[in-house]
Amino acid sequence: MAWSDLLQQLCNGLLLGSLFALVAVGYTMVYGILRLINFAHCDIFMMGMYFAFFFVAKDFRLWPLSFIAVIAATAVLGVGLEKVAYSTLRRQNAPKISMLISAIGASYFLENLATVIFTAKPKTFPQIPFFVDMMQIGSVRLQRLAVAVPIITVIFVCILLFLINKTKSGMAMRAISKDLDTAKLMGINVNGTISFTFAIGSAIAAVGAILWGLKYPQISPLVGVMPGLKCFIAAVIGGIGNVKGAVIGGLLLGFIEVMAVAFFPEISAYKDIFSFVLLIIILLFRPNGLIGEKIAEKV
Amino acid sequence: MLEIKDLVVKYGGITALNGISMKVEEGRIITLVGANGAGKSTTLRSITGLVSPVSGSITYDGRELIGLNTKDIVKMGITLVPEGRHVFADMTVDENLMIGAYLRKDKENFRKDIDFVHEMFPILKERSKQLSGTLSGGEQQMLAVGRALMSKPKVLMMDEPSLGLAPLVVKDIFRIIQKVNEEQNMTVLLIEQNANAALKIADYGYVMETGNIGLEGSGEELLSNERVKELYLGKSKE
């Protein structure tokens, strides 16, 4: 394989990995705070793509405004999901398994809702020239997305890490994820903080959805299922509950999938298998994921 | 003043509190002693809203606490130092103190209060940047108390602060309890298995037995009570 090809594939891997990372942080954040696998997250992602389909203005130059609207709408949807599907159960001290079933139900509900409203016929995501035009760097010819996506991902991940580690709301999130009762005793508004977590996770999923749509422009009600599954795997590989882990897991998964197809094109039809194989291998050796949660508690 | 009337708490079918009544007057140190499973922790957890009672009432300055959110109860100035310390292990000592002041809006006094806690527990100043999970048990207990003080409580409740600690550390903690009680007129509600130490500093005490209050009286009265001596102070009647 020529150098330029390898470079091209590395860029593709970085692109796909960044997209995975953006969705994976949403899984990990919700798991961190509620110990719940939010199966409906992939459908929030899907709804984000539909929002983008409808919100992106005819005049493509207005895309920043459209994107802000998409992110806001998806965040609202995420909070709404939490209020309807999880908060109601939490208030009655429902067991974890009920929450999980509610998550699966919410996922099916959103998929079917999308089918009813938007029909199952695939739609084409708006192709905004600013992102999808080709450009030439040396011998490598790339879509502008290949550069834009990793940069946007880095920016959002940095904002997120700052939010979690340096702000009061972030401190509340960390406190709840470690010890719910003690967090309550500190006077932390638990429900507000959980809603905030869903808002942030969904907003970042919306960013992922927009970029995903630009890269893979076909939208259908089930478009979120496979990416969602892979991003969940990315979160688990990185160590679920840990934002940095989710980013690393996402990047790793993206690279491996792209490289596997590049080096073994004859098995490209089975590319989805690599994520799962990687998951099994990593969990065999590191059951808590690559950056599993530290357990340092003195009793 | 904090007042509990006929409080009944059940966990599933098991009765944890069987209609207890008690009063915690302002500026006093009140202690609740008793064996494991007597319902001491349940009482405190009910006051902070972590447990929902079946019946009875808990009022603070005439306001009913049952049904309120924990955060609103904390906002009224009632803070609990939970049993087993429960410091946030992967946050630094300073972050733990900051989270103790979570509800407070007065930024200007915040520094002063951190200094006050540091002055009371100099070790916390030394370790301010250390992850609190790496502290010793005694240091964690000091941090848990310091964290509670950061919320500027009017009523400080402590669940077994001496649990598993060296006698010297226990002495230190009890000295601080007395100090904040005297200097800041803070009401203290203290749960202890170490009945001897607790009754010595308490103005008034309640002895709990399997969900009921068996005895009550001033600290000295209870210390000299034969039954208390026999059951909780490890001295036989001869």
Side-chain angles (χ1 to χ4, degrees):
Chain A
M1 190 185 289
W3 265 114
S4 61
D5 283 346
L6 184 67
L7 210 58
Q8 181 104 41
Q9 296 302 345
L10 283 174
C11 287
N12 287 341
L14 187 62
L15 170 61
L16 186 62
S18 303
L19 291 173
F20 283 159
L22 285 171
V23 182
V25 293
Y27 279 104
T28 230
M29 284 171 77
V30 168
Y31 183 85
I33 202 158
L34 283 184
R35 304 286 148 198
L36 166 78
I37 299 160
N38 179 14
F39 280 111
H41 189 62
C42 64
D43 301 299
I44 296 281
F45 168 81
M46 173 270 293
M47 292 301 261
M49 285 172 85
Y50 274 106
F51 288 151
F53 175 80
F54 289 107
F55 290 0
V56 169
K58 289 281 171 293
D59 184 352
F60 281 154
R61 278 171 305 179
L62 292 177
W63 62 264
L65 285 177
S66 313
F67 286 2
I68 290 169
V70 173
I71 292 168
T74 314
V76 169
L77 181 67
V79 173
L81 166 79
E82 196 278 320
K83 291 277 174 240
V84 175
Y86 307 137
S87 176
T88 39
L89 289 173
R90 211 171 51 244
R91 228 164 262 151
Q92 300 171 52
N93 290 323
K96 285 272 144 71
I97 189 78
S98 309
M99 301 266 276
L100 200 69
I101 292 166
S102 184
I104 296 170
S107 171
Y108 281 124
F109 172 76
L110 284 173
E111 282 163 19
N112 287 293
L113 183 73
T115 313
V116 171
I117 301 178
F118 310 125
T119 74
K121 210 175 112 206
K123 291 186 172 19
T124 306
F125 199 86
Q127 294 298 291
I128 300 169
F130 182 85
F131 289 100
V132 298
D133 279 357
M134 300 303 277
M135 58 185 210
Q136 189 88 23
I137 306 175
S139 57
V140 186
R141 203 171 141 71
L142 293 167
Q143 252 184 328
R144 284 188 183 169
L145 270 177
V147 180
V149 170
I151 293 174
I152 293 170
T153 303
V154 168
I155 292 171
F156 274 94
V157 169
C158 287
I159 294 174
L160 182 62
L161 288 175
F162 175 82
L163 193 85
I164 291 174
N165 292 314
K166 301 286 174 204
T167 66
K168 208 170 161 180
S169 314
M171 200 155 77
M173 283 160 75
R174 283 185 290 150
I176 293 173
S177 79
K178 291 298 164 191
D179 191 335
L180 180 64
D181 274 357
T182 310
K184 283 186 191 164
L185 287 175
M186 300 296 114
I188 289 170
N189 179 353
V190 174
N191 287 325
T193 306
I194 290 173
S195 294
F196 181 66
T197 307
F198 272 84
I200 300 294
S202 304
I204 293 183
V207 175
I210 292 167
L211 298 173
W212 188 282
L214 289 165
K215 174 75 186 156
Y216 306 102
Q218 209 180 47
I219 329 172
S220 70
L222 294 180
V223 72
V225 175
M226 205 28 125
L229 203 49
K230 285 183 189 163
C231 294
F232 171 59
I233 290 175
V236 174
I237 285 175
I240 196 151
N242 183 316
V243 169
K244 280 184 212 153
V247 174
I248 291 170
L251 288 172
L252 192 66
L253 222 59
F255 271 111
I256 289 187
E257 194 175 307
V258 166
M259 290 305 156
V261 174
F263 283 100
F264 309 105
E266 60 276 16
I267 56 166
S268 63
Y270 301 103
K271 69 181 166 62
D272 291 337
I273 220 169
F274 296 110
S275 317
F276 301 98
V277 172
L278 184 71
L279 173 74
I280 292 167
I281 294 172
I282 288 187
L283 288 189
L284 277 178
F285 294 99
R286 291 193 65 96
N288 287 329
L290 294 174
I291 323 183
E293 281 183 39
K294 274 179 286 181
I295 299 162
E297 194 168 353
K298 203 151 195 152
V299 187
Chain B
M1 187 178 73
L2 188 66
E3 192 169 5
I4 298 177
K5 262 195 202 141
D6 306 321
L7 189 68
V8 178
V9 175
K10 289 183 181 170
Y11 295 123
I14 301 155
T15 305
L17 294 180
N18 194 11
I20 65 158
S21 300
M22 59 188 288
K23 277 183 190 166
V24 180
E25 275 169 60
E26 208 181 301
R28 299 288 189 84
I29 299 182
I30 308 294
T31 187
L32 204 54
V33 296
N36 271 335
K40 305 185 303 279
S41 297
T42 304
T43 308
L44 294 200
R45 290 172 70 82
S46 307
I47 297 171
T48 49
L50 290 175
V51 170
S52 324
V54 177
S55 63
S57 81
I58 304 171
T59 53
Y60 179 63
D61 287 342
R63 255 189 89 185
E64 180 62 53
L65 298 187
I66 293 177
L68 291 184
N69 273 333
T70 303
K71 103 176 130 57
D72 297 319
I73 294 169
V74 176
K75 214 178 258 172
M76 290 166 77
I78 301 175
T79 300
L80 170 65
V81 181
E83 180 177 1
R85 310 180 273 276
H86 286 269
V87 296
F88 294 105
D90 56 357
M91 293 189 193
T92 64
V93 169
D94 266 1
E95 279 181 311
N96 267 279
L97 293 178
M98 273 156 73
I99 213 160
Y102 186 80
L103 275 180
R104 287 177 45 194
K105 303 265 180 273
D106 49 335
K107 284 223 171 74
E108 59 281 5
N109 290 327
F110 177 73
R111 199 58 248 175
K112 215 172 74 196
D113 291 331
I114 283 220
D115 290 342
F116 172 71
V117 170
H118 281 167
E119 187 194 318
M120 263 194 302
F121 302 108
I123 192 80
L124 295 184
K125 188 174 186 181
E126 244 170 75
R127 314 233 147 154
S128 57
K129 299 283 170 256
Q130 208 169 312
L131 289 185
S132 52
T134 64
L135 300 181
S136 75
E139 289 159 359
Q140 286 189 1
Q141 185 64 60
M142 292 178 192
L143 179 57
V145 175
R147 184 179 63 181
L149 291 177
M150 287 303 290
S151 71
K152 287 255 158 191
K154 296 194 191 88
V155 181
L156 178 66
M157 304 195 292
M158 288 192 241
D159 196 343
E160 305 262 5
S162 74
L163 193 74
L165 299 184
L168 220 60
V169 181
V170 175
K171 226 171 134 184
D172 233 23
I173 301 231
F174 275 72
R175 181 178 54 77
I176 302 284
I177 295 172
Q178 275 186 301
K179 194 174 158 178
V180 291
N181 170 253
E182 276 163 27
E183 288 179 7
Q184 308 193 357
N185 196 32
M186 200 179 284
T187 311
V188 177
L189 177 53
L190 178 68
I191 284 188
E192 264 302 334
Q193 285 197 14
N194 185 348
N196 198 13
L199 289 172
K200 267 185 194 151
I201 65 162
D203 296 307
Y204 202 79
Y206 293 86
V207 180
M208 288 192 81
E209 287 165 21
T210 56
N212 295 294
I213 289 190
L215 277 170
E216 60 180 278
S218 70
E220 291 125 44
E221 268 170 42
L222 290 177
L223 271 174
S224 55
N225 182 297
E226 288 303 324
R227 194 171 148 71
V228 175
K229 271 188 194 170
E230 185 192 351
L231 288 175
Y232 304 108
L233 303 177
K235 293 168 195 157
S236 68
K237 282 191 278 189
E238 316 255 345

